[in-house]
Amino acid sequence: MAGSSSDAARADGSPVLRAAARFLASLSDNRPIGVAISGGSDSTGLLSALCRTAGHGRVVALTVDHGLRAESAAEAKEVAGLAERLGARHETLHWFGAKPKTGIQAAARQARYALLSEAARRLDLCAIVTAHTAGDQAETLAMRQARSLEGEGLTGIPPATLHEETVWFLRPFLHLSRAAIRGHLSASGLGWIDDPSNGDRRFERVRVREAGVPTDDLTTRWRSRTQRAVDVGELIAFRAGRDDDDLFRFDLSGLDRDRAFDCLRSLVDMAGGRARGLDRHGRSRLGEFLDDPDLSRLTVGRVLLHRKDRDITLRRERRNVAEVSIQPGRRILWDGRYRIENHDPVDCLSISGGGRYGISPEFSAKSDGLEAPEIVRSCGRLSRLMPVFEAARADALAGLAGRTGFPPCPWPDWMEVGEPI
């Protein structure tokens, strides 16, 4: 099947089909592929190309109905019919519950990640593939540059991202234009659904798109960031430690300021467990702490840092450590630092801060004989959403947690996504 699909892609001459064939040939996991499809031109082109090149039964189409517009249910049914005609199994995933009054696009994005990840685990998919394009990449970079973001922010949308340490989201069309995808659809006799929100100027991305932005080649930046993560991961593996009381240690001896800062920022992120990384002010304070040997203490990002000579210790500050209860059979991320699952079929599990510093999980229940909970130390924000560039750094942090590393990306050729086909 793989040979015939590649031959068909070459004969067709479509850059969209060539991109799909190259992507499929490089996958290291033969399980079915989930395709996120809204019915818009980009995702319809992705589904069409993958169905045509992957062969029967390999593709599962997944549509998220956000319930934000009256037409969304009918559109999901229309997409289901298209998927059936293309030879893909289809499921509609629903975002139920109250919707926020503000920040609706960010909330919808989080809901999509959660719903698609749950479907991937349930259906045993190798990954979720999304139809981000070169235009999406250019718009993202333009918005970040407008905020004067530097460094990591200017590597743009990653070709691959790991969600909650379990499901990879892959983006094989990041080098393709929307015009190329629509050309493929027109040649295939396929239409698409236009989402009215794509023309709503209340949203920043729409305004940036209308202004027009150039597309950058990001391969050099991707390679640099990936190598940086390897370097920092090695430093953390050899210079950092963590004990059973969740106290981190780091040795600064002989280390240049730039790499010391990068390592400490990762350790602060993991030790503090905040949903967001250090802002500009927090990074500035951490830099001042490194630069001034007379400063022995700092509190930043919910973390207490203490320096003695060239040794630094870090731990979560005791203030506002979460006190929660977990229902039977449920799992939570406690205090942003520990994934805890209550395996008991009957009793709720209460958790509060305990241990030497009052920051480690301490358990209690109404009855004796509670079944032991499952406890896994999170690796900070990388445990929630890890760009593929950061795999080496994430694995080093997992080593500090005394656990196995993150699952490898099933698309080993992700770096070549923008190269000529």
Side-chain angles (χ1 to χ4, degrees), residues 160-201:
T161 305
L162 182 65
H163 182 250
E164 300 286 354
E165 297 192 33
T166 56
V167 178
W168 280 100
F169 284 72
L170 311 179
R171 305 175 181 97
F173 281 9
L174 270 178
H175 63 300
L176 292 175
S177 68
R178 181 160 294 147
I181 295 173
R182 291 186 172 183
H184 160 75
L185 290 174
S186 297
S188 304
L190 297 172
W192 60 85
I193 300 168
D194 282 320
D195 185 341
S197 68
N198 289 331
D200 191 336
R201 288 185 55 80

Side-chain angles (χ1 to χ4, degrees), residues 302 316 319-324 334-337 351-353:
R302 301 201 313 182
R316 164 76 159 95
R319 181 171 59 91
N320 297 328
V321 172
E323 296 186 14
V324 297
W334 179 75
D335 200 54
R337 297 179 294 133
I351 313 172
S352 58

Side-chain angles (χ1 to χ4, degrees), residues 285 288-298 306-307:
R285 293 182 64 215
E288 291 170 1
F289 176 73
L290 270 175
D291 293 337
D292 188 346
D294 292 330
L295 292 177
S296 62
R297 294 180 183 274
L298 172 70
H306 180 261
R307 171 166 44 200

